[in-house]
Amino acid sequence: METSIVGVGVSISDRFRTVVEEKTARIQTLAPRALRLEIKVTHRAYRNGRLPDETVELTLLGKGPVIRAEATDPDKFAAFDMALDKLSEQLRRAKEKRIDGRNQSRGPHFEKGSGALAGIDVEPASADVLRAVATGAIPVQQDEEEEYSPVVIRTKNFDAEWMTVEEAVDRMELVGHDFFLFVDARTDHPSVVYRRKGWDYGVISLTTAAPPAQEELAS
């Protein structure tokens, strides 16, 4: 795994590089397909008497979703340790999720031993019920008014989550989706981040000054 370190407003010492090389070895164990780890150290100084701090950002690139973590502390070594712990925890959760997915078959499946259907909320009809339906003992109700449509619309409802655009991108990459719906904490607008070509991202937000008139809804 290739490692790159960039300093913004701060120089990167040989000691810091050595510590990074020693501690990032565990990343290779948790993410064997990782190709590159980008480390960005940013020094921030304040004019209001607040002590300066160091922000360490970690970006892991490889065959899969991009995983990011960052932490801030007056000591860049401490900030790096905290960011590395966050990144490792994300990798551990993703690894456990993959293992659980392999151990647990997805979707409905037929168990040959018991003849049962697992993974689906349907109970097979007994032979007596099937015989009664075939002979007409159990009437079958047919709704002639219902029209068939080849289009099936599935709906899902989720609780709204307020977060920044940066946090939404991190969440999207962590779950491995191409988009992520959220409420922008800065504007309170429903928004969605999505992946574009390369490593670019886009944001779409909904804004409205007032609800539409009833005449517009009726039309």
Side-chain angles (χ1 to χ4, degrees):
M1 180 181 66
E2 182 184 354
T3 302
S4 67
I5 308 175
V6 177
V8 179
V10 61
S11 60
I12 304 300
S13 63
D14 293 338
R15 177 169 172 261
F16 186 81
R17 293 182 184 276
T18 301
V19 171
V20 167
E21 292 177 0
E22 293 175 352
K23 293 190 176 182
T24 54
R26 58 174 167 166
I27 298 298
Q28 196 70 44
T29 303
L30 294 172
R33 296 193 301 169
L35 301 177
R36 180 180 177 88
L37 176 63
E38 296 179 353
I39 303 172
K40 180 180 178 182
V41 183
T42 303
H43 175 80
R44 291 187 176 88
Y46 306 93
R47 298 180 179 179
N48 57 2
R50 177 181 170 183
L51 294 177
D53 56 38
E54 314 281 349
T55 298
V56 176
E57 303 173 57
L58 305 180
T59 303
L60 188 64
L61 309 174
K63 297 180 180 179
V66 178
I67 300 180
R68 295 183 177 89
E70 71 173 64
T72 301
D73 192 87
D75 181 10
K76 62 176 174 289
F77 289 92
F80 171 72
D81 287 340
M82 290 187 291
L84 186 62
D85 288 341
K86 292 180 180 179
L87 186 68
S88 300
E89 181 61 25
Q90 294 183 55
L91 292 173
R92 275 193 291 267
R93 289 201 301 265
K95 186 176 182 180
E96 291 173 356
K97 185 177 181 180
R98 290 194 300 270
I99 294 175
D100 291 341
R102 289 195 298 265
N103 293 338
Q104 299 178 2
S105 58
R106 298 180 180 179
H109 60 278
F110 177 74
E111 296 183 357
K112 295 182 179 180
S114 61
L117 291 174
I120 185 172
D121 189 18
V122 173
E123 182 179 352
S126 64
D128 294 337
V129 172
L130 295 176
R131 189 178 301 107
V133 171
T135 58
I138 297 180
V140 179
Q141 182 179 0
Q142 296 181 351
D143 190 355
E144 298 180 355
E145 296 180 359
E146 183 179 355
E147 296 182 357
Y148 168 76
S149 174
V151 180
V152 179
I153 301 177
R154 294 182 174 87
T155 60
K156 291 184 179 181
N157 296 319
F158 299 92
D159 294 332
E161 291 189 65
W162 274 256
M163 62 183 66
T164 63
V165 174
E166 294 79 7
E167 291 171 337
V169 171
D170 290 342
R171 186 75 67 83
M172 177 185 69
E173 293 293 357
L174 181 60
V175 298
H177 290 173
D178 293 328
F179 67 92
F180 187 82
L181 183 64
F182 68 105
V183 179
D184 195 324
R186 297 188 179 98
T187 63
D188 284 337
H189 292 158
S191 307
V192 60
V193 294
Y194 61 94
R195 185 183 293 108
R196 303 180 65 187
K197 292 183 179 180
W199 299 109
D200 292 338
Y201 302 95
V203 182
I204 299 175
S205 299
L206 297 179
T207 59
T208 179
Q214 293 297 325
E215 294 78 5
E216 298 179 6
L217 294 176
S219 61

